[in-house]
Amino acid sequence: MTMTLAVDRRSIRAEEQRKVRREEIAQVAQRLFATKGYQATSVADVIEAAGVSRGTFYTYFESRDALFYELIDGFIEKLTACVERVDLERGTPVKDLYANIKRVVDLFFKHRYLTVILLREAIGLDATVHRKLNQFHAFLHKMVTGALANGMKWKLIRKVNEPVVAMAIIGSIKEVLYQYLVAGTEETLDAETIAKELLDFGLRGLNLSMPVTNGEMSISPS
């Protein structure tokens, strides 16, 4: 029994070490893909920067492409998990919308390298990545379209063409994050400010009659 427990502990430690080593390689690859560019980064670059052998790299990843796809998939999964259904019956739709946007923005801020990879390196790369991005975009579009339909139903927003406005909202969020986190605009804003401004603009545009403050909304009589 004692010997069995010792073997089990060694197996657990070995598995934990493998997970740590795998994550270390993935972290190094993130940085290289984001800073050098995906096309300019080779497996040799990754193993040199990670301080591992070529055999060790291929123990964990089938290829550079497989590693890249895994990074994309993992980040998309994290982003998808950030977006929750807005339940209008709870009576706090604006607060819930803000929470969704804030979680997404926070995630992009937290994972700068993955943000660069998703918003710059992955665009137009190949058919596999294109399909993954399209699937994620379709998920977001469905969620935003549904939120707009419910907003009109509950008379929180004016009547709009949901598919068109959903695309506009998603596009505006993506462009703002790209400019601040990827393109490197000189102005620096924190995640909370960006999230509030995105919500404010999405709900009322430039209309002064619907102020949004701290995730809450009041509608003035027209």
Side-chain angles (χ1 to χ4, degrees), residues 114-220:
L114 288 174
T115 296
V116 173
I117 291 171
L118 186 67
L119 297 183
R120 187 186 70 193
E121 295 302 311
I123 303 302
L125 184 60
D126 62 28
T128 300
V129 174
H130 184 68
R131 184 178 67 255
K132 294 176 187 295
L133 294 179
N134 278 348
Q135 290 171 346
F136 177 57
H137 184 273
F139 164 77
L140 287 180
H141 192 263
K142 181 179 179 181
M143 293 289 287
V144 177
T145 299
L148 291 170
N150 285 331
M152 289 187 290
K153 177 182 176 181
W154 285 67
K155 301 188 186 315
L156 292 173
I157 61 172
R158 65 177 175 82
K159 182 174 177 55
V160 299
N161 183 305
E162 301 103 297
V164 172
V165 174
M167 281 187 245
I169 291 173
I170 294 169
S172 65
I173 293 174
K174 185 165 65 175
E175 180 63 19
V176 167
L177 292 173
Y178 178 85
Q179 291 299 328
Y180 280 101
L181 299 180
V182 179
T185 180
E186 292 183 1
E187 184 180 6
T188 301
L189 290 179
D190 58 89
E192 184 176 3
T193 298
I194 289 177
K196 286 181 178 178
E197 290 298 326
L198 285 170
L199 176 67
D200 191 13
F201 181 73
L203 285 176
R204 69 185 179 104
L206 302 178
N207 185 353
L208 291 174
S209 66
M210 192 186 298
V212 178
T213 306
N214 295 326
E216 298 299 334
M217 174 176 68
S218 61
I219 304 177
S220 302

Side-chain angles (χ1 to χ4, degrees), residues 41-72:
T41 300
S42 65
V43 171
D45 293 327
V46 175
I47 64 177
E48 180 181 357
V52 299
S53 68
R54 185 171 292 271
T56 298
F57 176 89
Y58 285 110
T59 296
Y60 299 114
F61 304 101
E62 181 180 336
S63 64
R64 181 192 65 162
D65 289 351
L67 170 54
F68 187 78
Y69 296 153
E70 183 175 309
L71 293 175
I72 294 292

